[in-house]
Amino acid sequence: MTERGQDVHRVFHDVERAASARPAVEFLRSVEAAPSVLAYRTQLAEHLAPAAGETVVDVGCGAGHHAAAIAAARAAADAPGPVVGIDRPRMLAEAAARHGDAVRWLPGAGEALPLPDDSVDAVYAERVLMYVDDAADVVAEIARVRRAGGRVALFELDYASMVLGGDAKTAEAVLEVVCGTVRCDRMGRTLGRLLTEAGVLVVDQTPYALAIPPPVWASAVRAPVEEAVADGRLDGERVADWFAELEAPGAYPGSVTGVLACGR
Ligand SMILES: C[S@@+](CC[C@H](N)C(=O)[O-])C[C@H]1O[C@@H](n2cnc3c(N)ncnc32)[C@H](O)[C@@H]1O
């Protein structure tokens, strides 16, 4: 929990205006290795399950780790077909540099997907909607490009559900700061309603309790909290005591709920 990091949320809100995409790309890479991520990815893969020739789209694909993994899994399962990763150009440059051309990297925004109506068999977005101005616009676009009956999967964190240990009052103040780093701190619990309003039949909503591993803690909690101390929103001494409390043997390391919503 002592690891220091950079608040990567600003990059995810608008990577084109960030000084550098690199810290965010490193953050995404470290998240990929977390066991809790692998757990919901298994369910996600089972739901999307593209047959040979079907098109899969990853909206807000970031550094492309997941889209590249899907392309590799399809090749290994002898079910090849197009995998498309959509994000801002700067993020896609990082994705292409890391993963080459097994995925078609398509610059664009979730609010105006650069794809025709009814053209996609399986579409998903992961940890994207919590950053956008209007998630309903993005979900409407996802519904537009999906072929009738095609699969949709959305995975989002619900920051307001974060469980933090240590002194309760300080944890509450910290949570308020952390929730302020995303556009919507209740996105996980909102997915089913958004899909329904977009005309997608919700077939499952599974909550996942995710541990907050040190690199995530550094970027998602410690960095914004230190910024809040620097600009006077939080008391430095109180926060230092709280961080020390979390270092003590047996302290709770922190967790957050993510929700995987699957639709057809
Ligand atoms: C936390 S990252 C998640 C990346 C990837 N989905 C993953 O799970 O590793 C959020 C991503 O959403 C992208 N993003 C943010 N707003 C977007 C928008 N309006 N349209 C498309 N992508 C967007 C960011 O550029 C960033 O790559």
Side-chain angles (χ1 to χ4, degrees):
M1 294 303 178
T2 49
E3 190 171 329
R4 296 197 173 253
Q6 186 174 334
D7 181 352
V8 292
H9 294 99
R10 276 193 202 98
V11 183
F12 295 141
H13 280 292
D14 190 351
V15 64
E16 297 301 315
R17 279 153 53 129
S20 165
R22 281 296 153 87
V25 169
E26 281 313 308
F27 172 82
L28 291 174
R29 193 189 51 75
S30 67
V31 169
E32 287 295 303
S36 47
V37 169
L38 300 178
Y40 68 74
R41 287 278 175 78
T42 301
Q43 190 191 345
L44 186 58
E46 283 167 6
H47 180 65
L48 297 178
E54 287 192 335
T55 299
V56 181
V57 173
D58 179 351
V59 177
C61 63
H65 306 298
H66 190 203
I70 288 185
R74 293 188 78 179
D78 209 15
V83 180
V84 180
I86 295 176
D87 208 302
R88 311 296 195 190
R90 205 161 173 203
M91 212 42 116
L92 293 187
E94 300 283 345
R98 276 169 179 72
H99 303 292
D101 59 7
V103 173
R104 180 178 167 217
W105 308 111
L106 191 59
E111 294 83 350
L113 292 173
L115 296 167
D117 295 357
D118 304 315
S119 59
V120 175
D121 302 286
V123 52
Y124 72 98
E126 176 177 339
R127 290 176 290 133
V128 176
L129 300 179
M130 61 199 248
Y131 295 109
V132 305
D133 287 337
D134 190 341
D137 287 349
V138 178
V139 178
E141 274 294 275
I142 286 174
R144 176 185 68 75
V145 302
R146 176 193 67 129
R147 286 204 174 100
R151 286 87 71 205
V152 178
L154 303 174
F155 179 85
E156 293 292 330
L157 299 175
D158 207 276
Y159 264 29
S161 75
M162 202 174 272
V163 177
L164 298 170
D167 171 66
K169 281 257 174 276
T170 310
E172 207 176 294
V174 163
L175 182 59
E176 195 181 326
V177 167
V178 172
C179 285
T181 60
V182 291
R183 202 85 76 203
C184 178
D185 61 10
R186 291 169 181 247
M187 189 47 76
R189 71 191 82 175
T190 311
L191 296 176
R193 176 175 63 72
L194 289 173
L195 286 169
T196 303
E197 286 172 0
V200 177
L201 176 69
V202 176
V203 294
D204 186 59
Q205 295 187 72
T206 302
Y208 285 85
L210 311 181
I212 305 178
V216 177
W217 178 272
S219 301
V221 179
R222 188 155 198 133
V225 164
E226 286 178 348
E227 208 176 295
V229 168
D231 66 23
R233 280 176 292 144
L234 288 177
D235 177 70
E237 209 171 311
R238 188 174 158 203
V239 164
D241 287 348
W242 184 73
F243 278 128
E245 213 183 334
L246 296 184
E247 296 294 329
Y252 188 70
S255 58
V256 63
T257 305
V259 178
L260 177 63
C262 297
R264 282 185 186 281

